[in-house]
Amino acid sequence: MRFLVFQHIAIEHPGIFREFMREDGIEWHAVELDEGEPIPSFDGFDALLVMGGPMDVWEETEHPWLAAEKAAIRAAVVEHELPYLGLCLGHQLLADALGGTVAPMSRPEVGLLDVELTAEAQHDSLFRGLPCRAKSLQWHSAEVSEPPPGSTVLAASPLCAVQAFRTGAHAYGIQYHTEITGETVPEWSKVPAYQRALEGTLGPGALESLRDDVDAVLGDLAASARTLHDNFVAIVRARLVNR
């Protein structure tokens, strides 16, 4: 298998999924869109992963490449029917590209917070075997306020009604960060926009407590990430068999 990965800042890469892809013999190719790298043809790729970033989906003036990325996401999901997994910004870009709505939140969601799967997620291929309620890392001030037409909402939190959704047969957006490792929080806290959001939401000096909170449940987060990865690979494999 070969996965194409869209990145919007170098430190927001596939995280722990890199380890899983290496173990499974999956090749992956990252395109750093914020650095002007061109989007390649989808030929030869079996899935598209789209990561997070500090920009917002509506900031096309500041980041002109966002328009091309949204067009590419539409083509990948609608025309090529590639399995898609978008995290945080990648979740929001999927919604925006396919006719949903992304808007600023009244209150940012930052920290290790509860996410609850919906009843529909209990029967969904991507969320099979995952706990109905679990702690997840959140770090966002925009949300999918309206998913694309015909989508199914798969997870929610008290502050964000669309924490995950599926559109079409196998295109998924997840707002929370399932890819994290032990290095994620310290690395992301060095990004000025993320540092402002962290301290503005949780208060000055919040980094240490957030890092400790994440470290305490890192094993559980990794186990859930492995299940999610295995489920996504199964979705990709089924698509290849039935193509």
Side-chain angles (χ1 to χ4, degrees), residues 181-198:
T181 69
E183 287 73 48
T184 298
V185 171
E187 286 182 350
W188 289 5
S189 68
K190 297 174 184 177
V191 178
Y194 294 166
Q195 183 181 37
R196 289 193 297 271
L198 174 63

PDB file of all heavy atoms in Angstrom, residues 181-198:
ATOM      1  N   THR A 181       2.192  11.338  20.119  1.00  0.00           N
ATOM      2  CA  THR A 181       3.249  10.587  20.779  1.00  0.00           C
ATOM      3  C   THR A 181       3.659  11.372  22.030  1.00  0.00           C
ATOM      4  O   THR A 181       3.102  12.437  22.321  1.00  0.00           O
ATOM      5  CB  THR A 181       4.470  10.413  19.862  1.00  0.00           C
ATOM      6  OG1 THR A 181       5.102  11.698  19.688  1.00  0.00           O
ATOM      7  CG2 THR A 181       4.061   9.868  18.498  1.00  0.00           C
ATOM      8  N   GLY A 182       4.665  10.887  22.722  1.00  0.00           N
ATOM      9  CA  GLY A 182       5.152  11.596  23.896  1.00  0.00           C
ATOM     10  C   GLY A 182       5.794  12.929  23.571  1.00  0.00           C
ATOM     11  O   GLY A 182       5.949  13.779  24.449  1.00  0.00           O
ATOM     12  N   GLU A 183       6.165  13.128  22.301  1.00  0.00           N
ATOM     13  CA  GLU A 183       6.809  14.371  21.897  1.00  0.00           C
ATOM     14  C   GLU A 183       5.812  15.428  21.405  1.00  0.00           C
ATOM     15  O   GLU A 183       6.178  16.595  21.211  1.00  0.00           O
ATOM     16  CB  GLU A 183       7.817  14.110  20.772  1.00  0.00           C
ATOM     17  CG  GLU A 183       9.087  13.405  21.218  1.00  0.00           C
ATOM     18  CD  GLU A 183       8.857  11.938  21.534  1.00  0.00           C
ATOM     19  OE1 GLU A 183       8.217  11.257  20.705  1.00  0.00           O
ATOM     20  OE2 GLU A 183       9.288  11.479  22.606  1.00  0.00           O
ATOM     21  N   THR A 184       4.577  15.037  21.191  1.00  0.00           N
ATOM     22  CA  THR A 184       3.618  15.933  20.544  1.00  0.00           C
ATOM     23  C   THR A 184       3.393  17.226  21.318  1.00  0.00           C
ATOM     24  O   THR A 184       3.532  18.325  20.779  1.00  0.00           O
ATOM     25  CB  THR A 184       2.276  15.209  20.328  1.00  0.00           C
ATOM     26  OG1 THR A 184       2.478  14.087  19.463  1.00  0.00           O
ATOM     27  CG2 THR A 184       1.252  16.147  19.704  1.00  0.00           C
ATOM     28  N   VAL A 185       3.025  17.140  22.572  1.00  0.00           N
ATOM     29  CA  VAL A 185       2.686  18.347  23.345  1.00  0.00           C
ATOM     30  C   VAL A 185       3.882  19.285  23.470  1.00  0.00           C
ATOM     31  O   VAL A 185       3.745  20.498  23.201  1.00  0.00           O
ATOM     32  CB  VAL A 185       2.108  17.971  24.718  1.00  0.00           C
ATOM     33  CG1 VAL A 185       1.960  19.211  25.605  1.00  0.00           C
ATOM     34  CG2 VAL A 185       0.748  17.287  24.554  1.00  0.00           C
ATOM     35  N   PRO A 186       5.073  18.802  23.851  1.00  0.00           N
ATOM     36  CA  PRO A 186       6.215  19.729  23.914  1.00  0.00           C
ATOM     37  C   PRO A 186       6.538  20.381  22.578  1.00  0.00           C
ATOM     38  O   PRO A 186       6.860  21.575  22.526  1.00  0.00           O
ATOM     39  CB  PRO A 186       7.371  18.830  24.383  1.00  0.00           C
ATOM     40  CG  PRO A 186       6.713  17.697  25.090  1.00  0.00           C
ATOM     41  CD  PRO A 186       5.428  17.464  24.360  1.00  0.00           C
ATOM     42  N   GLU A 187       6.451  19.622  21.482  1.00  0.00           N
ATOM     43  CA  GLU A 187       6.762  20.186  20.166  1.00  0.00           C
ATOM     44  C   GLU A 187       5.727  21.217  19.747  1.00  0.00           C
ATOM     45  O   GLU A 187       6.079  22.313  19.284  1.00  0.00           O
ATOM     46  CB  GLU A 187       6.847  19.072  19.125  1.00  0.00           C
ATOM     47  CG  GLU A 187       8.093  18.214  19.217  1.00  0.00           C
ATOM     48  CD  GLU A 187       8.165  17.152  18.148  1.00  0.00           C
ATOM     49  OE1 GLU A 187       7.154  16.946  17.428  1.00  0.00           O
ATOM     50  OE2 GLU A 187       9.229  16.527  18.028  1.00  0.00           O
ATOM     51  N   TRP A 188       4.453  20.899  19.898  1.00  0.00           N
ATOM     52  CA  TRP A 188       3.403  21.807  19.443  1.00  0.00           C
ATOM     53  C   TRP A 188       3.363  23.081  20.273  1.00  0.00           C
ATOM     54  O   TRP A 188       2.961  24.138  19.778  1.00  0.00           O
ATOM     55  CB  TRP A 188       2.053  21.107  19.475  1.00  0.00           C
ATOM     56  CG  TRP A 188       1.906  20.047  18.423  1.00  0.00           C
ATOM     57  CD1 TRP A 188       2.859  19.603  17.553  1.00  0.00           C
ATOM     58  CD2 TRP A 188       0.733  19.284  18.153  1.00  0.00           C
ATOM     59  NE1 TRP A 188       2.356  18.603  16.753  1.00  0.00           N
ATOM     60  CE2 TRP A 188       1.049  18.381  17.099  1.00  0.00           C
ATOM     61  CE3 TRP A 188      -0.542  19.260  18.696  1.00  0.00           C
ATOM     62  CZ2 TRP A 188       0.121  17.484  16.586  1.00  0.00           C
ATOM     63  CZ3 TRP A 188      -1.473  18.365  18.188  1.00  0.00           C
ATOM     64  CH2 TRP A 188      -1.143  17.483  17.131  1.00  0.00           C
ATOM     65  N   SER A 189       3.764  22.998  21.523  1.00  0.00           N
ATOM     66  CA  SER A 189       3.716  24.176  22.386  1.00  0.00           C
ATOM     67  C   SER A 189       4.700  25.249  21.931  1.00  0.00           C
ATOM     68  O   SER A 189       4.605  26.401  22.368  1.00  0.00           O
ATOM     69  CB  SER A 189       4.012  23.783  23.833  1.00  0.00           C
ATOM     70  OG  SER A 189       5.367  23.368  23.985  1.00  0.00           O
ATOM     71  N   LYS A 190       5.640  24.895  21.059  1.00  0.00           N
ATOM     72  CA  LYS A 190       6.609  25.870  20.547  1.00  0.00           C
ATOM     73  C   LYS A 190       6.058  26.678  19.375  1.00  0.00           C
ATOM     74  O   LYS A 190       6.665  27.658  18.957  1.00  0.00           O
ATOM     75  CB  LYS A 190       7.891  25.147  20.123  1.00  0.00           C
ATOM     76  CG  LYS A 190       8.604  24.455  21.277  1.00  0.00           C
ATOM     77  CD  LYS A 190       9.795  23.639  20.789  1.00  0.00           C
ATOM     78  CE  LYS A 190      10.441  22.873  21.939  1.00  0.00           C
ATOM     79  NZ  LYS A 190      11.557  22.013  21.452  1.00  0.00           N
ATOM     80  N   VAL A 191       4.912  26.251  18.820  1.00  0.00           N
ATOM     81  CA  VAL A 191       4.272  27.002  17.744  1.00  0.00           C
ATOM     82  C   VAL A 191       3.514  28.173  18.376  1.00  0.00           C
ATOM     83  O   VAL A 191       2.651  27.949  19.239  1.00  0.00           O
ATOM     84  CB  VAL A 191       3.296  26.105  16.943  1.00  0.00           C
ATOM     85  CG1 VAL A 191       2.604  26.913  15.853  1.00  0.00           C
ATOM     86  CG2 VAL A 191       4.045  24.915  16.346  1.00  0.00           C
ATOM     87  N   PRO A 192       3.818  29.417  18.003  1.00  0.00           N
ATOM     88  CA  PRO A 192       3.208  30.569  18.692  1.00  0.00           C
ATOM     89  C   PRO A 192       1.679  30.505  18.780  1.00  0.00           C
ATOM     90  O   PRO A 192       1.101  30.780  19.840  1.00  0.00           O
ATOM     91  CB  PRO A 192       3.679  31.758  17.848  1.00  0.00           C
ATOM     92  CG  PRO A 192       4.995  31.306  17.289  1.00  0.00           C
ATOM     93  CD  PRO A 192       4.830  29.844  17.019  1.00  0.00           C
ATOM     94  N   ALA A 193       1.013  30.143  17.683  1.00  0.00           N
ATOM     95  CA  ALA A 193      -0.453  30.093  17.706  1.00  0.00           C
ATOM     96  C   ALA A 193      -0.955  29.041  18.680  1.00  0.00           C
ATOM     97  O   ALA A 193      -1.961  29.248  19.380  1.00  0.00           O
ATOM     98  CB  ALA A 193      -0.984  29.808  16.305  1.00  0.00           C
ATOM     99  N   TYR A 194      -0.264  27.905  18.741  1.00  0.00           N
ATOM    100  CA  TYR A 194      -0.679  26.840  19.655  1.00  0.00           C
ATOM    101  C   TYR A 194      -0.390  27.219  21.107  1.00  0.00           C
ATOM    102  O   TYR A 194      -1.173  26.910  22.007  1.00  0.00           O
ATOM    103  CB  TYR A 194       0.034  25.542  19.311  1.00  0.00           C
ATOM    104  CG  TYR A 194      -0.332  24.962  17.965  1.00  0.00           C
ATOM    105  CD1 TYR A 194       0.433  23.950  17.402  1.00  0.00           C
ATOM    106  CD2 TYR A 194      -1.434  25.410  17.259  1.00  0.00           C
ATOM    107  CE1 TYR A 194       0.108  23.395  16.166  1.00  0.00           C
ATOM    108  CE2 TYR A 194      -1.763  24.877  16.033  1.00  0.00           C
ATOM    109  CZ  TYR A 194      -0.990  23.865  15.483  1.00  0.00           C
ATOM    110  OH  TYR A 194      -1.323  23.333  14.263  1.00  0.00           O
ATOM    111  N   GLN A 195       0.740  27.896  21.333  1.00  0.00           N
ATOM    112  CA  GLN A 195       1.071  28.323  22.689  1.00  0.00           C
ATOM    113  C   GLN A 195       0.042  29.329  23.211  1.00  0.00           C
ATOM    114  O   GLN A 195      -0.405  29.243  24.357  1.00  0.00           O
ATOM    115  CB  GLN A 195       2.465  28.940  22.720  1.00  0.00           C
ATOM    116  CG  GLN A 195       2.927  29.344  24.108  1.00  0.00           C
ATOM    117  CD  GLN A 195       4.301  29.972  24.092  1.00  0.00           C
ATOM    118  OE1 GLN A 195       4.648  30.699  23.171  1.00  0.00           O
ATOM    119  NE2 GLN A 195       5.094  29.692  25.106  1.00  0.00           N
ATOM    120  N   ARG A 196      -0.369  30.266  22.340  1.00  0.00           N
ATOM    121  CA  ARG A 196      -1.389  31.238  22.752  1.00  0.00           C
ATOM    122  C   ARG A 196      -2.699  30.552  23.084  1.00  0.00           C
ATOM    123  O   ARG A 196      -3.365  30.894  24.072  1.00  0.00           O
ATOM    124  CB  ARG A 196      -1.590  32.276  21.645  1.00  0.00           C
ATOM    125  CG  ARG A 196      -0.431  33.252  21.475  1.00  0.00           C
ATOM    126  CD  ARG A 196      -0.838  34.420  20.596  1.00  0.00           C
ATOM    127  NE  ARG A 196      -1.185  33.991  19.238  1.00  0.00           N
ATOM    128  CZ  ARG A 196      -0.310  33.891  18.237  1.00  0.00           C
ATOM    129  NH1 ARG A 196       0.970  34.187  18.454  1.00  0.00           N
ATOM    130  NH2 ARG A 196      -0.696  33.522  17.028  1.00  0.00           N
ATOM    131  N   ALA A 197      -3.090  29.594  22.262  1.00  0.00           N
ATOM    132  CA  ALA A 197      -4.342  28.873  22.517  1.00  0.00           C
ATOM    133  C   ALA A 197      -4.262  28.076  23.813  1.00  0.00           C
ATOM    134  O   ALA A 197      -5.221  28.032  24.595  1.00  0.00           O
ATOM    135  CB  ALA A 197      -4.659  27.951  21.346  1.00  0.00           C
ATOM    136  N   LEU A 198      -3.111  27.446  24.045  1.00  0.00           N
ATOM    137  CA  LEU A 198      -2.935  26.646  25.254  1.00  0.00           C
ATOM    138  C   LEU A 198      -3.033  27.500  26.507  1.00  0.00           C
ATOM    139  O   LEU A 198      -3.827  27.210  27.417  1.00  0.00           O
ATOM    140  CB  LEU A 198      -1.574  25.941  25.196  1.00  0.00           C
ATOM    141  CG  LEU A 198      -1.135  25.163  26.445  1.00  0.00           C
ATOM    142  CD1 LEU A 198      -2.090  24.017  26.701  1.00  0.00           C
ATOM    143  CD2 LEU A 198       0.289  24.640  26.274  1.00  0.00           C
TER     144      LEU A 198
END
